């Protein structure tokens, strides 16, 4: 009976995890639509890609609701204990917030320099430069590449340390060291995961916005569970 109750509790936690990641996707989608409407009202629609790319920085926080899906070395599901992660979460929030500020500042500057030098953003920040023609395509390419880099950062600095803290609990510094070591040895795989995340965020929000609510949670769950298995295999080698 106790074993049945334990399995029921784990199953319920997994169901809640799936529900919460779907709810988080809905929140991100709602925020993106509000931002898009305001940007359109100020004739700044091209800036939308910078904001959608910035949503990638929320992935470490969203991934916290997936921790009941973790499998330990014995092949059992882990239960969620938030107190063991508070130190990691606090540091992640600070790092991600700083990265978000850098991201938006760079996006505003680049938009004002290369897309619309007559926008109110250029006037507010006193950005003046010699006319360089329409570089909208370059602006989009830059944001895609930067989104990929921030996706890498989010996984290495955000997702992996919390995942490792649940499985090995190496301490605050040890978790981050292990995360960087794992990322270094599996750089190609992590880069592929980062590209999948960028595709799941930017492409739906830009070209098929309602698809984001379905694609993003599925991709995030798959990548998170794969990271769990990849780390366990790597730590055993």
């Amino acid at each position: 009976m106790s074993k049945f109750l334990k399995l029921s509790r784990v199953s319920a936690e997994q169901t809640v995890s799936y529900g919460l990641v779907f709810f988080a996707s809905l929140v991100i989608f709602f925020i993106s639509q509000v931002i898009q409407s305001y940007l359109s009202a100020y004739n700044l629609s091209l800036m939308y890609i910078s904001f959608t790319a910035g949503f990638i920085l929320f992935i470490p926080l969203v991934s916290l609701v997936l921790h009941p899906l973790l499998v330990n070395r014995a092949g059992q599901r882990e239960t969620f204990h938030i107190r063991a992660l508070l130190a990691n979460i606090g540091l992640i929030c600070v790092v991600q917030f700083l990265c978000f500020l850098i991201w938006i500042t760079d996006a505003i500057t680049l938009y004002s320099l290369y897309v619309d030098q007559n926008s109110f953003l250029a006037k507010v920040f006193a950005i003046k430069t010699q006319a360089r023609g329409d570089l909208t395509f370059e602006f989009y390419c830059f944001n895609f590449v930067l989104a990929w880099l921030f996706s890498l950062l989010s996984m290495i600095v955000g997702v992996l340390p919390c995942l490792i803290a649940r499985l090995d609990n190496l301490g605050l510094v040890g978790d981050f060291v292990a995360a960087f070591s794992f990322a270094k040895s599996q750089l190609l795989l992590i880069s592929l995961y980062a590209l999948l995340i960028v595709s799941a965020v930017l492409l739906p929000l830009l070209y098929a916005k309602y698809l984001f609510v379905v694609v993003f949670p599925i991709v995030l769950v798959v990548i998170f569970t794969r990271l769990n298995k990849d780390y366990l295999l790597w730590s055993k080698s």
Side-chain angles (χ1 to χ4, degrees):
M1 179 64 70
S2 60
K3 183 178 181 180
F4 175 77
L5 292 175
K6 184 177 180 180
L7 289 174
S8 299
R9 186 185 68 177
V10 172
S11 178
E13 289 177 344
Q14 294 176 34
T15 302
V16 171
S17 292
Y18 290 128
L20 286 175
V21 74
F22 180 74
F23 175 75
S25 302
L26 286 175
V27 171
I28 293 175
F29 177 75
F30 174 76
I31 295 173
S32 71
Q33 296 310 295
V34 172
I35 291 175
Q36 187 179 34
S37 64
Y38 275 101
L39 291 176
S40 298
Y42 287 98
N43 296 319
L44 295 171
S45 297
L46 289 175
M47 276 288 296
Y48 181 58
I49 185 175
S50 295
F51 284 91
T52 56
F55 291 143
I56 291 174
L57 296 172
F58 295 117
I59 285 177
L61 295 178
V62 176
S63 68
L64 292 177
V65 303
L66 296 175
H67 277 251
L69 304 180
L70 288 179
V71 178
N72 60 22
R73 301 184 192 283
Q76 299 175 340
R77 299 290 182 183
E78 293 284 350
T79 54
F80 188 71
H81 301 289
I82 188 63
R83 287 185 294 180
L85 298 173
L86 287 180
N88 301 72
I89 294 171
L91 183 56
I92 288 169
C93 288
V94 172
V95 173
Q96 298 292 295
F97 179 71
L98 292 176
C99 290
F100 185 79
L101 290 180
I102 295 172
W103 174 280
I104 294 301
T105 302
D106 291 344
I108 290 174
T109 303
L110 288 169
Y111 177 86
S112 301
L113 285 174
Y114 298 113
V115 179
D116 187 1
Q117 299 175 28
N118 296 317
S119 67
F120 81 93
L121 291 174
K123 296 176 182 178
V124 169
F125 290 92
I127 299 175
K128 297 179 180 179
T129 185
Q130 187 178 5
R132 301 186 183 185
D134 184 8
L135 295 177
T136 304
F137 177 75
E138 287 78 1
F139 178 72
Y140 269 74
C141 290
F142 173 82
N143 277 283
F144 268 90
V145 173
L146 202 56
W148 176 73
L149 293 175
F150 270 88
S151 182
L152 275 175
L153 180 66
S154 295
M155 280 194 292
I156 297 173
V157 179
V159 176
L160 282 172
C162 284
L163 185 151
I164 294 171
R166 293 294 309 283
L167 298 176
D168 288 336
N169 193 20
L170 303 174
L172 181 60
V173 177
D175 294 336
F176 278 87
V177 170
F180 278 99
S181 299
F182 171 72
K184 182 179 179 181
S185 63
Q186 305 291 329
L187 185 58
L188 183 60
L189 185 64
I190 299 295
S191 299
L192 177 60
Y193 289 161
L195 183 61
L196 290 175
I197 289 175
V198 171
S199 300
V201 175
L202 266 65
L203 296 180
L205 287 177
L206 289 174
Y207 305 111
K209 57 183 181 180
Y210 295 110
L211 196 59
F212 170 83
V213 181
V214 177
V215 173
F216 175 70
I218 292 176
V219 170
L220 186 60
V221 170
V222 170
I223 290 177
F224 185 83
T225 52
R226 286 303 310 174
L227 280 175
N228 179 203
K229 295 178 181 178
D230 294 338
Y231 174 75
L232 289 175
L233 290 174
W234 174 81
S235 61
K236 291 178 181 178
S237 61

